[in-house]
Amino acid sequence: MSQLEYLIALVSIIVGLGLTDLARSLRELVRPSRTVHWHWLPLAWAAIAFLVIVQIWWQSFRFLQKEALAHAAVFTPVLLGFLLLYLICAFALPDPDRTRLGTDRGRTSDSQAALDLEAFYFSAAHRRWFFGAFIGLLVASQLFSGAAWAVQDTQIVETARLVQNIAVNVGLASLLGGLIITDRRWVHGSAALLVMGAVVYTLVVGMSTIG
């Protein structure tokens, strides 16, 4: 096994764990014995998290084969980015083991458990960690682009694209930072629809340009 294959296997495991955590949380929400007060926003952001993983993994097929990835300065932000992807999946939906109500001497009945997705989503802790992980992913992406440019691998990132990435990432980070600060429903709804549209568009374009 080459060094690159060894590194790719590591990030693949992290991606698999993130998707598993997301699927497990969704499974717990739809269990017949569980009462859930549904809200569309956390489900939308969970879908966004899934699409972001698909997009990054699809586009990773190209740059994960580059020799520049063997540089520690290049691979470290890649590894950090995939770890943050896992955290995004973990924070997207509530952990059923920590949101049960109606305990009696340490025992909890599934029929008594109730999950309020709106309260979960708009809680300060959730907004801080979930959108904070998204901002961290943008920072890791920018660090990767800068490191790849520094080692002069122009097949991964060109100077013009690096500048464009900086502008886009700063704009997205500002938007996500605003979602941490405010709990206005219309702001969160508009941001979710905007980000969902952007992710779907870039995913379609990215898939069509990779041969």
Side-chain angles (χ1 to χ4, degrees):
M1 177 180 289
S2 67
Q3 183 179 17
L4 286 178
E5 290 173 337
Y6 185 78
L7 299 177
I8 292 171
L10 175 60
V11 297
S12 299
I13 292 173
I14 298 173
V15 169
L17 290 174
L19 292 176
T20 300
D21 192 289
L22 191 62
R24 177 176 176 270
S25 297
L26 182 60
R27 180 201 66 188
E28 290 297 319
L29 288 178
V30 299
R31 286 178 59 183
S33 60
R34 186 177 298 281
T35 302
V36 177
H37 303 301
W38 295 94
H39 196 273
W40 71 276
L41 272 173
L43 298 178
W45 280 104
I48 290 171
F50 173 77
L51 292 176
V52 167
I53 284 186
V54 173
Q55 178 186 7
I56 291 178
W57 187 245
W58 187 270
Q59 294 178 345
S60 297
F61 177 80
R62 181 178 67 253
F63 73 77
L64 285 176
Q65 302 179 61
K66 303 300 181 181
E67 292 299 327
L69 194 65
H71 291 266
V74 178
F75 178 71
T76 299
V78 171
L79 178 60
L80 176 61
F82 279 103
L83 287 173
L84 287 165
L85 275 178
Y86 168 78
L87 292 179
I88 289 171
C89 291
F91 293 142
L93 294 172
D95 186 348
D97 294 334
R98 297 181 180 275
T99 53
R100 293 180 174 178
L101 305 178
T103 57
D104 181 15
R105 294 184 180 180
R107 296 191 300 272
T108 303
S109 171
D110 284 345
S111 62
Q112 293 177 310
L115 296 177
D116 188 336
L117 290 186
E118 182 178 11
F120 161 77
Y121 176 85
F122 284 104
S123 65
H126 170 259
R127 299 202 315 270
R128 181 171 60 252
W129 286 103
F130 180 69
F131 295 115
F134 257 114
I135 294 173
L137 177 62
L138 295 175
V139 173
S141 172
Q142 197 58 59
L143 290 175
F144 163 74
S145 298
W149 178 84
V151 298
Q152 300 301 316
D153 194 330
T154 57
Q155 291 181 320
I156 295 182
V157 57
E158 299 174 353
T159 303
R161 181 176 297 180
L162 179 64
V163 175
Q164 180 182 9
N165 288 343
I166 293 175
V168 172
N169 288 337
V170 169
L172 285 175
S174 300
L175 174 64
L176 297 172
L179 298 181
I180 297 176
I181 297 172
T182 183
D183 61 355
R184 293 179 182 272
R185 269 56 174 173
W186 70 269
V187 174
H188 282 262
S190 300
L193 294 177
L194 177 64
V195 174
M196 175 72 77
V199 170
V200 171
Y201 173 78
T202 55
L203 181 60
V204 172
V205 172
M207 286 184 172
S208 64
T209 56
I210 296 179

